[in-house]
Amino acid sequence: MSTFGTPSGPGDPDALFGLEEIRPGPPVPRPPGPSFRTSAEARRMLEVREIHAEPAAAVSPRGREILARFPDAEVIPVGSHWRIPGLHGNPGNAGNWVRTKKTVLVLGERKSLTVRPNGRSADWIAPGAANGCAMACAYCYVPRRKGYANPVTVFTNIEQIIGRLGRHVAASGPKREPNQCDPRAWVYDIGENGDCSVDALISENTADLVHAFTRWPTAKASFATKFVNPDLLLLDPRGRTRVRFSVMPPEDARLLDIRTSPVEDRIAAAGDFVEAGYEVHFNFSPVVIRPGWEEAWSGLLRRMDDVLPRTVKEQAAAEVIMLTHNRELHEVNLAWHPRAEAALWRPEIQQPKRSENGSWNVRYATGVKAGAVEAVRRLVERHTPWLPIRYAF
């Protein structure tokens, strides 16, 4: 039997596991009875009326499952999930931002299966099984990629995605030195351009990924979420998936985190997720500088210290991410949520920044940002001393 091991190649005597370990396993079983995805709350998040589908994606096993889940939706064939006339690149869609996210779904096949290095939150960025989101956070960078409308795109070739990840995990071998991502496991972010908790309302892609990482002893999946999906508690992750609940002061979230679970619910869910076998961390993201922001974060941290059980505190860690904004997104927001821009668009304390993909963003000026990061560190030390900060930027 051929095997994949450390980077020395196939057949290496120190190989970690064989080919059968990197192939997708059988479908993840679900208990009988209704699931959260059939609930009224889930239907408020996603009421799909229109599905734009690449033909190969529509006829794939995963595509057929999704189409059966939304039998009343109009199915519109498209040549590419990237270029959909009337949806992408149409400035007139900005005013329908939220409605589009709720009622439109796109099915495609992921062509690029690149695993990219990261080194901040995760060691690697996995090829995602979806992009876009049904939520509508006013600061989110993802919508800029397709322009004016960014509903969820589900990639139906999940077997290829998992196979690519399995080969990468096997070739990487054991993690030999601890780092800020994890002391022992290679961490793969599986939800860079979406929210896996919401994706799980649509398909089994998230479940398949969680299940796959239980078979890879040197690796760990990770994703950030602002949505509490109880169906994820049924997946038996066996400690190989890290859920990062993104939190901010509730008054900020009510203005900026549109269509997400209340911050209080995200915090309250942490104990259930640890009990179900997940590792749970927290994203303080984004930290928005506004009048009274330090007092608001103090209140949030005190709340976390009061309500989180010991089981969460013993294994938790945090990331601190200061707001980065973008002029194009600023213009889109002005069309659907101008109130948010009063908090997000602060030219007097922001400066241009070129992102890793070459686009120009704005972030807090160097001195302002450094002072704010230090302030957050002090607040964490004071109110949640049990919570180490893995990184802050």
Side-chain angles (χ1 to χ4, degrees):
M1 178 183 67
S2 298
T3 57
F4 286 89
T6 60
S8 53
D12 187 274
D14 295 325
L16 296 173
F17 34 80
L19 274 172
E20 72 279 0
E21 294 296 319
I22 66 171
R23 291 180 177 135
V28 179
R30 285 186 174 271
S35 64
F36 176 76
R37 66 160 59 125
T38 64
S39 68
E41 184 176 349
R43 289 194 296 273
R44 285 193 294 272
M45 176 61 68
L46 278 167
E47 189 179 329
V48 177
R49 302 172 187 170
E50 189 176 294
I51 300 177
H52 299 263
E54 295 176 357
V59 300
S60 69
R62 182 57 29 96
R64 290 197 299 269
E65 291 172 9
I66 295 169
L67 293 178
R69 186 160 295 148
F70 303 103
D72 297 328
E74 178 186 8
V75 180
I76 304 168
V78 296
S80 168
H81 69 87
W82 273 106
R83 295 179 296 276
I84 300 177
L87 186 64
H88 299 148
N90 178 5
N93 280 331
N96 297 321
W97 192 254
V98 173
R99 183 178 64 82
T100 299
K101 285 174 170 289
K102 179 178 181 178
T103 62
V104 176
L105 183 63
V106 180
L107 303 184
E109 290 192 323
R110 186 170 190 103
K111 307 304 189 293
S112 170
L113 298 176
T114 303
V115 180
R116 302 180 355 251
N118 180 252
R120 283 180 172 168
S121 178
D123 296 291
W124 306 97
I125 304 297
N131 69 34
C133 190
M135 297 183 289
C137 300
Y139 47 80
C140 182
Y141 67 91
V142 176
R144 302 197 301 270
R145 300 193 67 199
K146 291 188 175 181
Y148 304 106
N150 195 51
V152 177
T153 297
V154 177
F155 297 123
T156 61
N157 54 328
I158 186 64
E159 297 89 351
Q160 290 179 296
I161 293 170
I162 291 176
R164 175 69 182 100
L165 283 172
R167 291 188 293 274
H168 192 277
V169 170
S172 297
K175 192 173 198 176
R176 306 201 182 274
E177 295 183 5
N179 61 12
Q180 69 179 23
C181 303
D182 194 84
R184 292 174 295 277
W186 295 112
V187 180
Y188 290 76
D189 192 323
I190 61 172
E192 180 191 31
N193 290 319
D195 191 303
C196 291
S197 298
V198 176
D199 297 341
L201 298 176
I202 303 168
S203 81
E204 304 299 334
N205 281 1
T206 297
D208 287 345
L209 284 162
V210 170
H211 180 61
F213 275 88
T214 66
R215 308 197 307 273
W216 300 332
T218 61
K220 182 181 292 184
S222 177
F223 64 89
T225 184
K226 302 182 184 73
F227 186 72
V228 178
N229 183 347
D231 285 346
L232 299 184
L233 300 174
L234 308 175
L235 299 184
D236 191 21
R238 304 177 192 176
R240 309 312 301 175
T241 294
R242 173 186 295 164
V243 176
R244 293 152 25 232
F245 282 107
S246 293
V247 296
M248 63 173 62
E251 52 267 46
D252 285 353
R254 286 190 288 271
L255 176 66
L256 305 174
D257 276 3
I258 310 304
R259 310 194 76 230
T260 63
S261 296
V263 171
E264 295 87 346
D265 292 357
R266 303 176 214 171
I267 295 171
D272 293 334
F273 274 75
V274 169
E275 184 177 349
Y278 292 91
E279 183 180 46
V280 172
H281 286 191
F282 297 97
N283 278 6
F284 297 156
S285 171
V287 177
V288 177
I289 297 175
R290 59 169 180 79
W293 72 273
E294 291 185 56
E295 181 180 355
W297 278 93
S298 293
L300 174 69
L301 293 168
R302 289 194 299 268
R303 173 70 176 170
M304 292 175 66
D305 188 52
D306 288 342
V307 305
L308 287 172
R310 176 182 54 82
T311 53
V312 173
K313 294 179 179 179
E314 288 177 343
Q315 55 82 71
E319 305 167 7
V320 178
I321 305 173
M322 302 299 297
L323 172 71
T324 297
H325 203 25
N326 175 275
R327 179 172 290 278
E328 287 77 14
L329 183 58
H330 168 65
E331 298 297 330
V332 171
N333 285 348
L334 289 176
W336 77 275
H337 192 18
R339 285 183 56 238
E341 289 307 292
L344 299 177
W345 191 253
R346 301 281 306 281
E348 71 278 10
I349 59 172
Q350 290 170 329
Q351 65 185 30
K353 170 188 180 292
R354 186 179 290 277
S355 69
E356 293 179 358
N357 65 15
S359 64
W360 281 101
N361 300 326
V362 293
R363 66 177 181 186
Y364 294 121
T366 302
V368 174
K369 179 178 178 179
V373 168
E374 184 56 33
V376 174
R377 289 188 182 276
R378 289 196 303 269
L379 293 174
V380 170
E381 290 173 3
R382 182 186 312 158
H383 300 299
T384 53
W386 44 268
L387 186 62
I389 295 176
R390 291 200 296 114
Y391 76 97
F393 78 99

